């Protein structure tokens, strides 16, 4: 039988908690006590430092053959609002980002029915040429699996080719909830949870760092969230290739998931981040993605075990097409102020978490 005290004793002694214990925390309403433990676990790993980066998102196309039920971003060819960016447009966005001080471009998009694998190599090569200082973090495991299918290449070969074209690391999307019964309800066309884990394992084997996300606040229950995180923790024990864990709060507008919900509660957001921080003892970074959480919850999350606020983003479509109320973009100064006002030390990082600039914790924000 779990009790809060026995779990707290483990966390204080820097010991791993079990899946049952994580579930116990999810089922508890003592948010402040959970938050305090998460803050302890985080401080041990990261001190007072909170990371952010200056980045820019580019979504090359919203045309997608999968049409996941939760996704308000995707379109079928011919639908109103369907788009595919020209190579020149992507290059212009990347170059402008570099000129404005970005260090990373984050590229993810739909699974386009007609574009060949070579198109994606061309995108990476072209961006690398016009904006050579940008780190290219691109393509979810779902896209990588698709590239394998449309090209006939093995996943190992896909990674070799993309790395040769300039791929630096991968984001953590497409994980959703890795439990099959949940996937069948929210994204039946998408690769299985087991396949997502396999592609990520191969990415790590190819020397690419990745993140891991978790889409929560829809049909899943606490046990599904815990199982999801347990699968990630097991893979991280084997590869060490994950950088950050990023819970994504489901935005319910304009999606085909007809749930009578207005979105996640602030309490659930904070508890999810805190339990993740405690349970995922082999992940260094827990990221509060302000786009889905809103700036205020993301800031409060810094007292609940979070040590990363993502970045400036600049142009966000996936959450905003689904009704996210956050701005499309934050300035670097705005992020520094959010972190500084929470009593933490803002640290600008590059994609691989090397510190670039840090700002005083008690500066006048
Ligand atoms: O995989 C789609 C999610 C993901 C909705 O790795 C939705 O640094 C909420 O993975 N409500 C893509 N979420 C975005 C993503 C990401 C974002 C920021 C940083 C990183 C990183 C990764 O967006 C998808 C899906 O899970 N998503 N629709 C929605 N309605
Ligand atoms: Fe396509 Fe990704 Fe949207 Fe699913 S979540 S429909 S795979 S763009």
């Amino acid at each position: 039988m779990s009790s809060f005290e026995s779990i707290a004793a483990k966390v204080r002694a820097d010991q791993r908690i079990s899946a049952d214990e994580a579930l116990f925390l999810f089922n508890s309403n003592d948010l402040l006590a959970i938050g305090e433990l998460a803050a302890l676990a985080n401080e041990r790993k990261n001190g007072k430092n909170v990371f952010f980066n200056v980045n820019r998102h580019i979504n090359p196309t919203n045309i997608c053959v999968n049409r996941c039920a939760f996704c308000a971003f995707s379109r079928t060819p011919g639908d109103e609002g369907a788009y595919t960016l020209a190579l020149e447009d992507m290059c212009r966005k990347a170059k402008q980002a570099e000129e404005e001080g970005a260090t990373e471009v984050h590229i993810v998009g739909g699974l386009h029915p007609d574009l060949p694998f070579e198109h994606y190599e061309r995108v990476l090569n072209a961006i690398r040429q016009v904006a050579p200082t940008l780190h290219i973090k691109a393509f979810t495991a779902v896209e990588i699996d698709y590239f394998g299918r449309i090209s006939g290449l093995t996943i190992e070969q896909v990674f070799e080719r993309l790395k040769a074209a300039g791929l630096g690391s991968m984001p953590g999307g497409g994980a959703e909830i890795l439990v099959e019964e949940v996937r069948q309800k929210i994204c039946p066309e998408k690769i299985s949870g087991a396949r997502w884990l396999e592609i990520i394992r191969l990415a790590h084997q190819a020397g690419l760092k990745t993140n891991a996300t978790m889409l929560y606040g829809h049909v899943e229950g606490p046990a599904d969230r815990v199982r999801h995180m347990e699968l990630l923790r097991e893979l991280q024990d084997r590869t060490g290739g994950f950088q950050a864990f990023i819970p994504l709060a489901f935005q319910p507008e304009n999606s085909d998931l007809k749930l009578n919900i207005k979105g996640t509660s602030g309490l659930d957001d904070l508890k999810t981040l805190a339990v993740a921080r405690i349970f995922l003892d082999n992940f260094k970074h827990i990221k509060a993605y302000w786009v889905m959480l809103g700036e205020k919850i993301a800031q409060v999350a810094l007292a609940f075990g979070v040590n990363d606020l993502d970045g400036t983003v600049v142009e966000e479509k996936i959450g905003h097409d689904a009704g996210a109320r956050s701005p499309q973009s934050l300035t670097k100064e705005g992020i520094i102020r959010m972190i500084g006002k929470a009593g933490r030390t803002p640290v600008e990082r590059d994609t691989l978490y090397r510190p670039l600039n840090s700002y005083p914790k008690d500066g006048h924000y």
Side-chain angles (χ1 to χ4, degrees):
M1 260 296 276
S2 304
S3 74
F4 187 81
E5 261 325 303
S6 64
I7 296 171
K10 276 192 174 178
V11 177
R12 287 192 199 107
D14 208 3
Q15 288 169 5
R16 178 166 278 195
I17 71 163
S18 68
D20 283 344
E21 288 167 331
L23 193 56
F24 178 93
L25 294 178
F26 264 121
N27 289 329
S28 153
N29 279 322
D30 200 346
L31 178 65
L32 292 184
I34 298 169
E36 200 178 335
L37 281 186
L40 170 71
N42 173 46
E43 198 146 332
R44 214 182 261 137
K45 287 190 189 315
N46 299 297
K48 293 277 180 209
N49 287 349
V50 173
F51 289 107
F52 68 95
N53 72 352
V54 181
N55 66 348
R56 204 227 198 266
H57 284 206
I58 299 177
N59 303 122
T61 182
N62 63 353
I63 294 177
C64 186
V65 299
N66 270 3
R67 303 306 312 267
C68 303
F70 58 79
C71 178
F73 163 73
S74 64
R75 298 284 187 281
T76 296
D79 280 358
E80 199 185 328
Y83 74 85
T84 301
L85 294 179
L87 198 57
E88 303 76 63
D89 291 331
M90 290 187 260
C91 287
R92 190 176 36 77
K93 287 173 195 278
K95 189 166 174 45
Q96 187 187 1
E98 187 186 50
E99 284 166 2
E100 290 171 357
T103 58
E104 170 190 288
V105 65
H106 168 138
I107 306 175
V108 293
L111 310 183
H112 196 285
D114 305 319
L115 294 171
F117 174 60
E118 290 71 24
H119 169 78
Y120 302 94
E121 290 180 295
R122 272 197 292 276
V123 169
L124 296 179
N125 268 316
I127 289 183
R128 183 168 55 170
Q129 219 155 46
V130 295
T133 68
L134 290 182
H135 176 109
I136 306 179
K137 177 179 89 177
F139 309 130
T140 66
V142 176
E143 291 167 279
I144 298 292
D145 172 78
Y146 190 63
F147 296 162
R149 284 189 278 141
I150 61 177
S151 66
L153 298 170
T154 65
I155 298 302
E156 286 89 342
Q157 290 167 331
V158 168
F159 281 134
E160 280 320 304
R161 296 261 297 256
L162 293 178
K163 274 177 22 183
L167 182 67
S169 67
M170 281 168 62
E176 321 316 352
I177 291 283
L178 293 165
V179 175
E180 228 40 54
E181 301 87 87
V182 176
R183 282 182 109 69
Q184 282 309 314
K185 291 183 195 148
I186 65 169
C187 51
E189 307 296 330
K190 194 168 253 173
I191 56 170
S192 67
R195 181 66 173 159
W196 187 92
L197 289 162
E198 173 66 2
I199 301 275
I200 294 291
R201 187 185 67 74
L202 292 169
H204 295 171
Q205 187 177 291
L208 293 162
K209 294 286 183 193
T210 78
N211 292 329
T213 56
M214 174 175 78
L215 182 70
Y216 69 98
H218 42 85
V219 306
E220 92 294 354
D224 299 315
R225 297 185 193 181
V226 171
R227 182 66 189 140
H228 178 93
M229 291 195 286
E230 192 177 24
L231 290 164
L232 296 176
R233 192 169 77 171
E234 284 168 11
L235 182 57
Q236 178 75 329
D237 276 341
R238 292 166 64 195
T239 66
F242 287 117
Q243 298 202 112
F245 178 64
I246 314 160
L248 296 172
F250 173 54
Q251 310 292 310
E253 281 180 27
N254 308 321
S255 88
D256 289 340
L257 266 191
K258 297 282 176 262
L259 302 172
N260 197 15
I261 52 170
K262 295 243 175 331
T264 60
S265 69
L267 188 129
D268 194 16
D269 294 332
L270 294 173
K271 195 198 290 184
T272 304
L273 289 158
V275 175
R277 175 60 290 161
I278 295 167
F279 184 71
L280 293 175
D281 59 342
N282 53 4
F283 277 64
K284 181 110 194 274
H285 309 290
I286 303 292
K287 188 190 280 190
Y289 187 43
W290 57 264
V291 168
M292 306 297 183
L293 295 170
E295 289 163 89
K296 290 189 176 179
I297 291 288
Q299 187 187 35
V300 175
L302 301 181
F304 286 76
V306 161
N307 75 306
D308 188 344
L309 281 186
D310 199 75
T312 46
V313 176
V314 180
E315 186 182 18
E316 204 288 323
K317 294 186 192 300
I318 297 171
H320 286 86
D321 283 354
R325 304 271 186 274
S326 56
Q328 284 262 338
S329 174
L330 290 180
T331 61
K332 178 172 168 176
E333 293 66 35
I335 298 182
I336 291 171
R337 208 174 314 117
M338 269 168 83
I339 299 170
K341 281 205 178 287
R344 311 285 147 145
T345 308
V347 181
E348 183 188 349
R349 62 167 174 87
D350 69 7
T351 306
L352 301 174
Y353 286 84
R354 289 175 294 221
L356 299 176
N357 294 299
S358 70
Y359 302 84
K361 162 161 75 58
D362 38 14
H364 294 288
Y365 297 106

